[in-house]
Amino acid sequence: MTIRTIRLIVVDDDPLVRAGLALMLGGADDIEIVGEAADGAAVPALVDRLAPDVVLMDIRMPGVDGLTATERLRARPAAPDVIVLTTFHADEQVLRALRAGAAGFVLKDTPPAQIVDAVRKVAAGDPVLSPAVTRQLMTHVAAAAPPCPAPPPGTRPGATAPPPGSRRSPNGSARSPSPSARAAPTPRSPPPST
């Protein structure tokens, strides 16, 4: 069985971070780092020349930042998937990255094996979020969601609607359908003879 190699570009302004990621990701049999960049401005040319499957992108960089680079890259046809890798995870950064089309948002303090796994998952078409980012998004969505409406008076929380044609008993529970609403019995066929 042939293992598909994931072509990866690493974009981070810190050469030490790029070297560490190259060392960590380069040890995986199925990941090949085909290019590196220190600025988001270099990403389009690298993508055109190297055709990566995934771009691992820092947010804070001089020149073109990672979020702007992600927006520009994902607006192009046949763009590679982007994983944003950063130390920052403010709501507006996470939301902007996801709106721009990033397939993942991973924090730099994520254990190395999980970063390798994130690259594999995104290359396979699955989105990835660090647990801290997932928690943060859940809190953000819950705070922005309108409150759930109260159940109508006389119903129990979690109760389901009664079947059509049924009546409610005085205590509010559903009773069997009235005789006129009941379905006629279905005739049974005799068992096949052997």
Side-chain angles (χ1 to χ4, degrees), residues 178-189:
S178 62
S180 62
R182 288 189 193 130
T186 306
R188 296 182 185 232
S189 302

Side-chain angles (χ1 to χ4, degrees), residues 12 19-20 22 34 37 58 67 90 133 150:
D12 196 299
V34 295
D58 186 24
L67 294 175
V133 173

Side-chain angles (χ1 to χ4, degrees), residues 57-58 65-75 82 84 97 100-102:
M57 181 98 66
D58 186 24
D65 67 86
L67 294 175
T68 301
T70 298
E71 289 167 345
R72 291 176 183 171
L73 183 60
R74 295 297 299 158
V82 176
V84 173

Side-chain angles (χ1 to χ4, degrees), residues 12-13 58-62 65-67 85-86 88 93 108:
D12 196 299
D13 62 316
D58 186 24
I59 287 182
R60 297 212 179 182
M61 295 181 285
D65 67 86
L67 294 175
L85 180 69
T86 186
F88 306 98
Q93 292 172 330
K108 286 184 179 176

Side-chain angles (χ1 to χ4, degrees), residues 13-130:
D13 62 316
D14 186 337
L16 189 58
V17 170
R18 287 196 315 272
L21 288 169
L23 184 65
M24 174 181 48
L25 294 161
D29 292 340
D30 57 341
I31 298 173
E32 177 187 2
I33 298 177
V34 295
E36 296 181 12
D39 186 325
V43 173
L46 275 177
V47 167
D48 289 344
R49 191 168 40 106
L50 302 172
D53 300 302
V54 178
V55 175
L56 196 55
M57 181 98 66
D58 186 24
I59 287 182
R60 297 212 179 182
M61 295 181 285
V64 177
D65 67 86
L67 294 175
T68 301
T70 298
E71 289 167 345
R72 291 176 183 171
L73 183 60
R74 295 297 299 158
R76 298 169 61 169
D81 287 313
V82 176
I83 300 172
V84 173
L85 180 69
T86 186
T87 55
F88 306 98
H89 57 95
D91 279 356
E92 69 274 359
Q93 292 172 330
V94 174
L95 293 173
R96 185 174 165 202
L98 296 177
R99 285 184 187 121
F105 199 102
V106 179
L107 301 178
K108 286 184 179 176
D109 65 356
T110 300
Q114 289 179 18
I115 293 174
V116 171
D117 191 47
V119 170
R120 288 178 177 138
K121 285 181 178 177
V122 166
D126 296 326
V128 175
L129 296 174
S130 286

